[in-house]
Amino acid sequence: MKIAFAVLAAAALGFSAAAAAQEGTLQKIKSSGSITIGHRDASIPFSYYDDKQQVVGYAVDLCNRIVDAVKTELKMPKLETKYQLVTSANRIPLMANGTIDLECGSTTNNIARQKEVSFTITHFVTANRWVYKKSAKLDKLEALKGKTIVSTAGTTNIKGMTEINAAKNLGMNIISANGHPEAFQMMETGRAVAFAMDDILLASLAASSRNPAEFAISSDKTSVEPYGIMLRKDDPAFKKVVDGAMVNTYKSGAIKGIYQKWFEKPVPPRGINLNLPMTDAFKKVVAKPTDSGDPKDYE
């Protein structure tokens, strides 16, 4: 009987969160007095823990500007910001059920995901490539034929590589990892010859490794990946506030300083500098903000 009651209570709590989300995120935030940001633990430099276990990153800085806009909209200057760690596998369910209100990480906005969640204005444009040991000479897709590669569970990357593997009959053995650091380690220690992921995340992991010069990132790419901050679907009032904050960040020029802070200067905790100037694809987004999930709009 106690077990049955516990199950019912858990179900009721889940229903309450989902119901609150359906009422509208702004109302949910106003009623609770807090907004919850979903974040990653190791998506450097987008969203991660620094050496003081504080949540930091490029996407987090943008989310903080969104939170300020929500405070203004609701006239709640003392609105509390809460943080919830998410993974590639659970970020969409936690958004859908009302656990988090914004997901501030390195999440690809695509048409398939837009059936489940919404995205604000694109804040970065990357591409799927793979990192490998230079000695392996795996720069081209054909070089991966018959090899074991790894990617992170719950990502567009592992799905895309699986589809390419079947379409091109490459015979790759594709294995999954629970997170980006684990996947990189699997490649580094030889359990896989390559790690397929967004090139910016690969660059960060390689730069943070014990021997960065040992690794290379493929010149071949298999997809274009626009990143967006995720929010719940069918919530136009909240999306208007969120999009407004992002557009203002771009049009005011504030995005330049935020971008330089994370991509052109040393970042915590190890002072790694990615030295990555703003690409033409992202400059196009800054000039003409878009939340499109179609890769063709970024080429």
Side-chain angles (χ1 to χ4, degrees):
M1 189 71 177
K2 290 180 179 178
I3 295 174
F5 179 78
V7 171
L8 287 172
L13 286 171
F15 177 79
S16 297
Q22 290 169 4
E23 290 173 4
T25 303
L26 289 175
Q27 181 57 48
K28 172 181 178 291
I29 293 169
K30 187 173 184 179
S31 298
S32 66
S34 64
I35 183 169
T36 302
I37 290 178
H39 68 91
R40 303 298 297 274
D41 62 347
S43 285
I44 301 171
F46 295 91
S47 177
Y48 64 102
Y49 288 122
D50 66 10
D51 54 348
K52 298 177 182 177
Q53 289 298 292
Q54 294 178 320
V55 181
V56 298
Y58 171 68
V60 176
D61 278 3
L62 293 174
C63 274
N64 287 336
R65 292 181 69 91
I66 292 171
V67 171
D68 286 342
V70 172
K71 289 178 179 179
T72 299
E73 176 71 19
L74 296 178
K75 298 180 175 60
M76 297 177 67
K78 295 183 179 180
L79 180 69
E80 180 185 5
T81 301
K82 295 181 178 179
Y83 294 93
Q84 171 68 49
L85 178 65
V86 301
T87 66
S88 297
N90 70 16
R91 56 190 167 182
I92 291 178
L94 290 179
M95 176 60 69
N97 71 15
T99 300
I100 59 175
D101 302 310
L102 294 167
E103 192 268 333
C104 308
S106 49
T107 301
T108 297
N109 171 12
N110 61 30
I111 294 170
R113 283 178 172 166
Q114 287 182 2
K115 296 177 182 178
E116 301 180 78
V117 294
S118 287
F119 292 87
T120 187
I121 306 303
T122 295
H123 63 267
F124 197 82
V125 183
T126 183
N128 179 66
R129 302 181 197 267
W130 51 93
V131 65
Y132 60 94
K133 290 185 178 179
K134 289 179 180 178
S135 58
K137 299 180 181 179
L138 301 172
D139 189 56
K140 300 297 182 182
L141 182 63
E142 291 75 17
L144 298 178
K145 188 170 184 177
K147 303 287 199 307
T148 295
I149 72 164
V150 64
S151 191
T152 307
T155 63
T156 57
N157 310 77
I158 195 167
K159 181 176 182 292
M161 291 302 284
T162 301
E163 292 171 350
I164 289 169
N165 191 32
K168 293 185 176 291
N169 196 28
L170 293 174
M172 293 186 293
N173 176 32
I174 302 174
I175 57 178
S176 65
N178 291 325
H180 305 324
E182 178 182 297
F184 189 89
Q185 184 181 50
M186 290 169 73
M187 178 277 302
E188 190 175 24
T189 56
R191 290 180 60 189
V193 300
F195 167 29
M197 184 46 57
D198 302 337
D199 53 16
I200 180 59
L201 300 179
L202 298 178
S204 172
L205 288 163
S208 303
S209 69
R210 286 169 291 186
N211 188 10
E214 184 180 1
F215 305 103
I217 296 173
S218 66
S219 59
D220 268 10
K221 66 179 181 181
T222 61
S223 68
V224 175
E225 308 279 333
Y227 284 175
I229 292 168
M230 192 164 58
L231 53 150
R232 272 178 290 283
K233 189 174 174 61
D234 300 325
D235 194 343
F238 186 55
K239 183 166 170 53
K240 181 179 179 181
V241 175
V242 173
D243 284 353
M246 290 293 290
V247 170
N248 181 61
T249 299
Y250 291 179
K251 296 301 183 183
S252 69
I255 187 63
K256 294 179 181 178
I258 298 172
Y259 186 95
Q260 289 171 351
K261 172 184 174 182
W262 294 104
F263 296 100
E264 298 181 71
K265 296 179 180 180
V267 300
R270 296 180 57 190
I272 299 295
N273 188 339
L274 295 175
N275 290 310
L276 185 68
M278 198 177 289
T279 62
D280 289 341
F282 187 51
K283 286 178 181 178
K284 180 180 174 182
V285 175
V286 172
K288 294 182 179 180
T290 178
D291 64 356
S292 174
D294 187 347
K296 294 179 182 178
D297 291 336
Y298 301 93
E299 294 177 348

